[in-house]
Amino acid sequence: MISALSRATSRHRVTGTAGGLVDVATAVSTSVAAALAAKHPGGPLPMGRPGEVLDAAMRALGPAVLPELGIGTDQALSRIASVLVEHGMDPASPMAAAHLQPPPLAVAVAADTLASAANSSLDTYDSGPAGIAMERWVVHVLAGLAGLPAGADGVFTPGGSLSNLTALLLARDSTAARLGIDVRSDGVGALERPVVLCSELAHFSVHRACAALGLGEAAVRMVPVDGRRRMRVAAAEQLLAGGGTPIAIFATAGTTDFGSVDPLPELADLAADTGTWLHVDAAYGFGALFCDQLAAKVSGIRHADSITVDLHKIGWQPAAASALLVRDPTAFGALDRQVAYLNPADDVTAGYDGRLGMSLQTTRRADAVKVAATLLAHGRRGLGGMLQACHDLAVYAQHRITMDERLELVAPAELTTVVFRYRTRDPALANAVNAALRRRLMASGRALVGRTDVGVPASTCLKCTLLNPNATTVDIDALVDAVLDAGSTSEEALTTGACISAEATDNTADACISAEAADNRASAEAAS
Ligand SMILES: *Cc1c(COP(=O)(O)O)cnc(C)c1O
């Protein structure tokens, strides 16, 4: 009696698919209240230098030792919520335009919480049939949208980099199998001079994947791009004819910086003619399919053998929400695995099978749950409208940049990015000023723009990555104004070396930022 009672009063607050969710809802309300009460920095990032910001965030958590006694759910969550608000990056700020990192949709965040509570895993049937069904459902929806045949399948991964790696693994092993080579047991030694073709603007994850897969980074042949930053097909053809074992043509639908799309129909022909696997890295560009006006940009994607889709970019999902879609699901045989404690043969025969054999992971969280909720809630039109809004903002930013003689447009808006530069009076200072002005904006917390290199020799450029469908042209104007302000201050600092604490020319602008941030903080503290 007594022990039953003490057990009842000391029950731990766990959750699941139903009952325990009440506790989750209460905890979420507590954290929301704490987040709303916390001091929002006002801009997308807290003011200050990285060391100061990180130190302050760690101090706010408390001493970095495991506390002997916990402070309880409410207090812990309140503390966490305020650390996230006061020392984090706010993806919903219309002045956050650095990366392909959207403000996530509320429906997706809520569904992700439900997925966490259900804690299902995709590897075995008994770890959560609903999660398995939702992944299958989402993958079929996405494959259908891409125009892949009905038999296509796919799998969620922890990101576009891992989707690309998985695609190249399937391409490697299916190519090897056709040559009578069993890479899985014998390794890649028997593959003679493997070749993976991609454009010079392809994502760096193709190099990493080739290194990890034993193909070697030397397998990557970078094909030059044309004036619109698309892979040159004739050059690809030549490289492919140059010998070696073609593993894949790795096309990009939406390069990370420019949103340019390789000529997919022509590359599909080249792949078909040479019997080469066609992978389309549509991590960024897949979302164009949601939008009537932009879908034509990725036409030809239906010819792919595999497609990478990042819905944590265009798709407004909290990361990770990446899928690899595969035309011929027998290619997943490369990952097939029979494990006594997970999928014994007689269980599989009886239908008690999970998706262990489609992934390099074992325990795998159900990232498709939030995507399913989003697709149901917003539909193609809803998502298409959001993309259209972001694209329109990019076109507006392009216009605004073109109209201002202090700025130089480097690449126009294909999808939702615009690449540009701040023009310096002394061209020799251009790289340093563009780099410094971006750091100045980060230190001020006022605005976030992206940075990249363009051309040879490299020009340091700035990039607006516009994925906030609620931002307006007024916000774009404010963003551009912030760049102009930071540009002229940085140029001034670099030209005159006016900052006392400067140690070297290269650090001048940064040193000035530091002094300025300290000033700003002092005046903010004085005001409050
Ligand atoms: C973002 C991106 C990736 C990598 O995706 P992660 O989810 O960041 O791993 C790969 N390819 C392209 C074209 C991308 O834009």
Side-chain angles (χ1 to χ4, degrees), residues 100 159-161 164 203 205 252 254 256 281 283-284 310 312-313:
L100 291 167
S161 304
N164 286 340
H203 192 262
S205 56
T252 306
T256 311
D281 178 1
Y284 175 27
D310 273 4
H312 54 256
K313 293 175 179 168

Side-chain angles (χ1 to χ4, degrees), residues 464-487:
C464 285
T465 309
L466 302 165
L467 282 182
N468 185 338
N470 295 339
T472 65
T473 54
V474 175
D475 298 317
I476 301 299
D477 285 335
L479 194 62
V480 173
D481 288 343
V483 167
L484 290 169
D485 283 357

Side-chain angles (χ1 to χ4, degrees), residues 486-513:
S488 73
T489 318
S490 299
E491 183 173 11
E492 198 63 26
L494 274 168
T495 310
T496 63
C499 197
I500 352 138
S501 54
E503 278 153 35
T505 329
D506 226 28
N507 290 328
T508 307
D510 285 344
C512 293
I513 294 168

Side-chain angles (χ1 to χ4, degrees), residues 87-315:
H87 309 283
M89 195 283 288
D90 186 356
S93 164
M95 301 293 269
H99 298 288
L100 291 167
Q101 179 188 23
L105 288 164
V107 62
V109 175
D112 208 21
T113 304
L114 294 177
S116 289
N119 201 23
S120 70
S121 178
L122 275 299
D123 53 338
T124 69
Y125 173 85
D126 55 355
S127 303
I132 293 173
M134 283 194 228
E135 178 166 288
R136 286 165 68 166
W137 188 89
V138 170
V139 158
H140 282 113
V141 170
L142 297 177
L145 198 58
L148 293 181
D153 206 345
V155 66
F156 272 69
T157 77
S161 304
L162 273 296
S163 291
N164 286 340
L165 182 134
T166 310
L168 288 172
L169 186 153
L170 302 190
R172 180 196 69 179
D173 290 13
S174 74
T175 307
R178 271 192 281 117
L179 298 170
I181 301 168
D182 182 352
V183 167
R184 185 149 146 184
S185 61
D186 303 337
V188 290
L191 273 179
E192 204 195 323
R193 275 215 302 136
V195 174
V196 172
L197 279 190
C198 65
S199 106
E200 57 182 317
L201 298 176
H203 192 262
F204 67 89
S205 56
V206 63
H207 288 89
R208 281 188 145 179
C210 285
L213 292 169
L215 301 171
E217 292 197 18
V220 182
R221 306 282 170 83
M222 303 228 274
V223 185
V225 294
D226 63 17
R228 290 188 55 203
R229 300 188 162 84
R230 303 147 29 107
M231 197 195 296
R232 287 182 191 274
V233 181
E237 223 171 310
Q238 259 175 19
L239 276 172
L240 212 51
T245 309
I247 302 291
I249 297 174
F250 183 105
T252 306
T255 54
T256 311
D257 286 334
F258 309 104
S260 52
V261 179
D262 288 337
L264 303 178
E266 288 87 341
L267 291 173
D269 287 344
L270 178 60
D273 292 347
T274 54
T276 309
W277 182 287
L278 176 64
H279 176 65
V280 177
D281 178 1
Y284 175 27
F286 188 90
L289 292 167
F290 298 137
C291 180
D292 290 333
Q293 195 199 310
L294 298 171
K297 285 192 187 278
V298 296
S299 72
I301 200 169
R302 68 176 190 282
H303 301 296
D305 290 299
S306 55
I307 303 172
T308 290
V309 185
D310 273 4
L311 293 161
H312 54 256
K313 293 175 179 168
I314 295 173

Side-chain angles (χ1 to χ4, degrees), residues 401-413:
I401 289 159
T402 313
M403 298 304 286
D404 198 313
E405 62 192 13
R406 291 166 294 175
L407 300 172
E408 173 193 349
L409 181 73
V410 174

